[in-house]
Amino acid sequence: MASDVWVYVDQFQGNALPAAWETLGAAGEVAADLNTGVAALVFGHDVDELAQQAADYGADKVFLCDDATLADFRVQAFGCAAAKLAAAEKPQVIFAPATTRGRDLTALLGVELGIGVVADGIALQVEDGVLQVTRPVYAGKLHATVSAPGAHPQIVTLRPRAFPRPEPTAGSAEVVQVEAVLAEEDISVKVVDYSASASDVSLTDASIIVSGGRGVGGPEGFEPVRQLAVALGAAMGASRAAVDAGWIPYSHQVGQTGKTVSPDLYIACGISGAIQHQAGMRTAKVIVAINKDAEAPIFKLAKYGVVADLFDAVPVLTDEFTRRLGE
Amino acid sequence: MHIAVCIKQTPDSAANMVVENGAATWGDAPMVVNPWDEYALEEAIRTKEQHGGQVTALVMGPESAREALKTAIAMGCDSGVMLSDETLASCDARMTARVLASAIEKLDDVELAIFGKQAIDGDTGLVPVSVACALGWTALSYVAEVNEVDVDNARISVARSLEEGRQNCTGTLPAVISVVKEINEPRYPSFIGIRKASKAEIPVWDLAELGLDVAEMKAGGAAVIWSDMRPLSARSGAVDFIEGESMEVIAATLADRLMADKVI
């Protein structure tokens, strides 16, 4: 069977992002609808293990491009290799997760292959061979259905955490070795080094996020919020008001000019829920709001509400969750 | 050096978006410079202040987008160009990139093009890298800091903000960079700048002037189509306020619910 639905396996230093496997899972369903198989694009250096993981997550075929020039993601090197392969193999669909690298790669593929990219899907349907993709627009305030009916291939990115991660099983895939296209001297970007992110848990990958807003009152007010996050193994978020006040770094900001997140559980502490904040977190599965003001707009989004001062409620919640999760 | 800064006009981030006859509308909420692009404008102006040269702001959009260019000039850009053509309505990121790339080429001596990381309406984040690719230039997305612009040796050194942290890297000029919020604090337009903007002559380039043709750009049917714009389905049911005689009881009840929902 052909493997005409492709997935770019986004990885950093040999570790796949969760969104790569979510995308592979979604691609499997599309491939079944199109009566074809799934091929994973595993590009990097010393990434044999990733090829096996891709098989375990459902890939029927792996295009493995292992080269020293691909040790770091550089859009020019990765994109040229992917574009050349796509021009030769003519897949029906190319998926990538809508991560920084997935977006850059698909942007390049779109231009190289002369095709419009359907970005940021959160739900998929196949109609007459055309992917009808639901995506948030206007920062999640509206949804639209987006498609590229005449495109071959159809290039689609999927939002992290919008699709379930499949359970890996021992799989096997046909591995096809692919040559890198560009030599090091032809690549215009050189990576010098990395400095790690300040936050331990990435907001976009987090299954639980605990966020603080204006109600925390100052930098020290984030301490109980942080303790609740630690108790739950959660990432810590913040509203724009708290970031603009200088209480917490921008990397924590959730909202229209911050990060868009989609966790299973979002606990908003002292956040009123301005529309800009809602735009970044409204797709969370379960939202808990803790706020003194029962009229705060955040309660319109929340499944559960606690009308209380966060400094009374949050430490007690931390104790309760610590006890429960210890059991 | 000649710097191009590419901006977009979008509805204000506080706008309440609704759907009327299948199209998005935002009532009487104001149109603004896309908030991410304010950082691009600031970085372009700072780079010019450091290295000399000129900054040209480009906006693609209808006549009303002229206001965005006035803001750009009021902040400190030297000039602005409107990219406007009635056939350009509803064009996708790749086509937008073709138009911007052609305009940058027409400016002739641009060495650095600066973008915000994405626009708050379409939110695709595809345009900057697409422009770089169309021009055959270096692409550096999600830039959080420009460490050095070395015009003599045609090199730029930046820190990029990725999922995993910061990546320090260098690239050759000419380059397209897209910037994130951490990069700077955008300035307000100055009084002198506002006066200058009100007098500025802003040329309009249409597709013919750019040597482009929409039919050719859409050839092969490879354009992205938006359909069925709709508001989000409201969450079913009102909020469940958890109450109890003490915070301990409330916490226990909430923990029960969240465990039953299998989210912790």
Side-chain angles (χ1 to χ4, degrees):
Chain A
M1 188 171 70
S3 298
D4 279 340
V5 173
W6 289 10
V7 176
Y8 169 65
V9 176
D10 190 22
Q11 55 93 8
F12 180 74
Q13 298 183 341
N15 298 310
L17 272 69
W21 306 135
E22 295 158 16
T23 306
L24 197 57
E29 296 189 11
V30 169
D33 278 347
L34 296 172
N35 286 316
T36 185
V38 176
L41 304 183
V42 175
F43 289 14
H45 190 40
D46 295 331
V47 285
D48 290 355
E49 233 172 89
L50 272 181
Q52 180 54 48
Q53 285 176 29
D56 294 346
Y57 278 101
D60 303 297
K61 188 174 188 175
V62 174
F63 289 106
L64 179 63
C65 189
D66 194 319
D67 194 271
T69 57
L70 305 178
D72 295 288
F73 178 88
R74 288 176 291 177
V75 62
Q76 190 189 4
F78 278 60
C80 288
K84 186 178 173 196
L85 190 63
E89 301 278 334
K90 304 199 180 349
Q92 292 184 55
V93 183
I94 303 177
F95 281 114
T99 54
T100 56
R101 289 170 289 263
R103 284 177 159 197
D104 283 3
L105 181 83
T106 51
L108 185 147
L109 282 176
V111 174
E112 287 290 325
L113 302 174
I115 284 167
V117 177
V118 175
D120 277 349
I122 58 168
L124 292 171
Q125 232 176 328
V126 181
E127 284 173 19
D128 300 328
V130 175
L131 282 161
Q132 300 291 339
V133 178
T134 300
R135 62 156 308 188
V137 293
Y138 295 100
K141 293 172 190 169
L142 302 176
H143 281 174
T145 302
V146 187
S147 61
H152 198 99
Q154 301 175 66
I155 305 173
V156 180
T157 68
L158 302 181
R159 279 266 173 99
R161 294 193 53 78
F163 296 86
R165 193 196 317 194
E167 283 298 320
T169 52
S172 69
E174 176 198 355
V175 176
V176 178
Q177 304 281 344
V178 178
E179 296 281 317
V181 172
L182 298 181
E184 184 58 43
E185 59 266 28
D186 299 325
I187 304 170
S188 65
V189 170
K190 308 294 171 195
V191 175
V192 179
D193 58 12
Y194 293 90
S195 46
S197 164
S199 55
D200 297 325
V201 185
S202 153
L203 275 172
T204 35
D205 289 337
S207 56
I208 306 178
I209 293 172
V210 182
S211 275
R214 200 185 295 277
V216 306
E220 60 290 340
F222 268 98
E223 188 50 28
V225 176
R226 194 186 63 79
Q227 286 173 6
L228 178 56
V230 169
L232 289 168
M236 198 159 81
S239 72
R240 179 175 163 177
V243 171
D244 283 354
W247 302 340
I248 186 165
Y250 166 68
S251 56
H252 294 272
Q253 185 177 320
V254 171
Q256 192 155 19
T257 50
K259 293 201 167 68
T260 302
V261 298
S262 196
D264 295 334
L265 173 61
Y266 189 92
I267 304 182
C269 308
I271 292 176
S272 64
I275 193 157
Q276 294 98 325
H277 189 71
Q278 293 186 15
M281 46 67 80
R282 63 183 307 151
T283 55
K285 266 191 213 132
V286 173
I287 295 167
V288 175
I290 302 165
N291 202 297
K292 280 193 287 199
D293 175 10
E295 300 298 317
I298 192 78
F299 287 120
K300 292 202 169 63
L301 281 186
K303 183 171 184 191
Y304 303 115
V306 176
V307 180
D309 188 317
L310 76 96
F311 294 104
D312 296 333
V314 170
V316 180
L317 279 174
T318 304
D319 291 346
E320 182 68 24
F321 288 135
T322 306
R323 200 170 53 72
R324 297 273 185 127
L325 297 172
E327 278 168 13
Chain B
M1 74 187 307
H2 192 169
I3 300 159
V5 56
C6 300
I7 63 175
K8 186 173 186 182
Q9 192 181 44
T10 61
D12 188 80
S13 63
N16 200 7
M17 303 298 302
V18 291
V19 177
E20 273 175 27
N21 304 321
T25 59
W26 44 90
D28 49 12
M31 294 293 279
V32 298
V33 172
N34 169 42
W36 299 107
D37 296 344
E38 292 183 15
Y39 305 96
L41 286 166
E42 176 64 30
E43 200 59 28
I45 296 162
R46 283 188 192 189
T47 307
K48 172 200 146 178
E49 286 168 349
Q50 210 179 337
H51 297 279
Q54 58 166 318
V55 178
T56 303
L58 298 171
V59 72
M60 189 178 116
E63 182 56 32
S64 56
R66 188 178 291 270
E67 285 307 308
L69 287 180
K70 289 194 171 164
T71 304
I73 293 168
M75 280 176 75
C77 293
D78 298 283
S79 56
V81 180
M82 294 266 306
L83 309 172
S84 236
D85 195 297
E86 56 191 19
T87 61
L88 278 175
S90 76
C91 85
D92 65 22
R94 180 181 60 101
M95 290 189 270
T96 303
R98 291 265 318 260
V99 173
L100 290 168
S102 299
I104 289 167
E105 273 180 333
K106 190 173 159 71
L107 290 173
D108 198 37
D109 56 350
V110 174
E111 287 163 281
L112 182 63
I114 307 183
F115 289 72
K117 74 160 186 153
Q118 65 195 58
I120 63 165
D121 48 3
D123 265 337
T124 68
L126 294 168
V127 172
V129 170
S130 301
V131 169
C133 185
L135 289 166
W137 291 9
T138 299
L140 292 164
S141 54
Y142 308 103
V143 170
E145 192 175 353
V146 174
N147 298 316
E148 194 191 4
V149 179
D150 181 349
V151 183
D152 295 336
N153 294 304
R155 272 163 49 90
I156 184 167
S157 162
V158 303
R160 300 174 61 225
S161 181
L162 306 178
E163 284 87 354
E164 297 80 13
R166 283 198 174 190
Q167 178 196 61
N168 295 303
C169 56
T170 64
T172 51
L173 296 177
V176 172
I177 68 172
S178 75
V179 303
V180 299
K181 187 176 175 179
E182 292 141 289
I183 196 163
N184 57 42
E185 188 68 45
R187 69 192 67 190
Y188 290 101
S190 67
F191 179 67
I192 295 170
I194 292 167
R195 283 188 49 170
K196 187 178 159 215
S198 71
K199 290 187 212 146
E201 282 194 29
I202 295 174
V204 181
W205 294 350
D206 62 10
L207 285 190
E209 200 137 0
L210 294 170
L212 293 172
D213 175 61
V214 160
E216 184 262 321
M217 285 201 283
K218 289 188 179 174
V224 176
I225 295 167
W226 288 34
S227 57
D228 189 27
M229 189 84 72
R230 56 199 180 273
L232 305 194
S233 46
R235 199 182 55 75
S236 54
V239 58
D240 180 0
F241 282 113
I242 312 276
E243 291 164 347
E245 64 218 27
S246 69
M247 194 48 75
E248 284 72 18
V249 174
I250 292 172
T253 309
L254 181 60
D256 286 343
R257 302 275 171 88
L258 295 177
M259 290 178 112
D261 288 346
K262 295 190 168 49
V263 291
I264 56 172

